[in-house]
Amino acid sequence: MKTNAFDVAARYVYPSLRRRLVEILRGKGLKQTEIGELLYITQSAVSRYLRMDRGALIDVSKFPDIDARVMALAERIVRESPTEYEIHSELVRISLEMLGRGYVCSLHSQLDPEVDPAKCRVCLELFG
């Protein structure tokens, strides 16, 4: 295994969750600058998420349970303006949930052909 689960989470899962969060906030009529301020990222980063230049490998909306968590986070962000750390903490929790449910196994095996999803139970056992 050349690519471990944490690499996959950091490089692909977390950015995909953030991209989905940006999409949801944009759907609420917020401007890119407003979204950037709420998420503590630049307007250009928001633009890259919306153009699918970032976080495009995983379509989070395909996982209704995860998508519901991201939608709830978006609502909380609009309502409460949580700190950068609170947002990050929740995105990490959701990332680990995706790993623990096995949603990322096929992507992991595509990124690293040495990973055999039929044999690997690391994420399921650690985060499931």
Side-chain angles (χ1 to χ4, degrees):
M1 177 182 346
K2 293 177 184 159
T3 306
N4 67 53
F6 287 112
D7 290 334
V8 174
R11 291 183 188 165
Y12 305 100
V13 177
Y14 190 98
S16 295
L17 291 170
R18 190 180 263 176
R19 179 186 54 79
R20 182 66 180 133
L21 189 55
V22 166
E23 288 175 343
I24 293 166
L25 292 171
R26 185 69 168 145
K28 295 183 174 298
L30 296 173
K31 296 177 183 173
Q32 290 184 17
T33 53
E34 294 171 319
I35 295 169
E37 289 171 7
L38 286 170
L39 297 182
Y40 303 92
I41 60 177
T42 65
Q43 178 276 324
S44 64
V46 171
S47 177
R48 286 194 298 274
Y49 284 120
L50 292 172
R51 286 193 323 257
M52 303 287 276
D53 291 344
R54 260 192 199 176
L57 257 171
I58 301 172
D59 181 2
V60 174
S61 67
K62 288 178 22 181
F63 308 105
D65 53 337
I66 299 299
D67 202 38
R69 296 266 318 265
V70 178
M71 286 184 194
L73 177 57
E75 290 295 329
R76 180 174 170 226
I77 289 169
V78 170
R79 188 177 62 249
E80 300 173 15
S81 296
T83 68
E84 178 178 10
Y85 301 107
E86 291 169 322
I87 294 168
H88 172 68
S89 177
E90 188 59 22
L91 287 173
V92 169
R93 278 188 191 94
I94 298 169
S95 296
L96 294 177
E97 186 175 329
M98 284 187 75
L99 294 173
R101 293 187 181 199
Y103 293 161
V104 186
C105 296
S106 63
L107 172 65
H108 192 180
S109 67
Q110 289 171 5
L111 297 169
D112 185 350
E114 291 182 13
V115 173
D116 181 353
K119 293 180 182 177
C120 180
R121 306 219 13 105
V122 173
C123 293
L124 300 174
E125 291 175 7
L126 287 175
F127 311 118

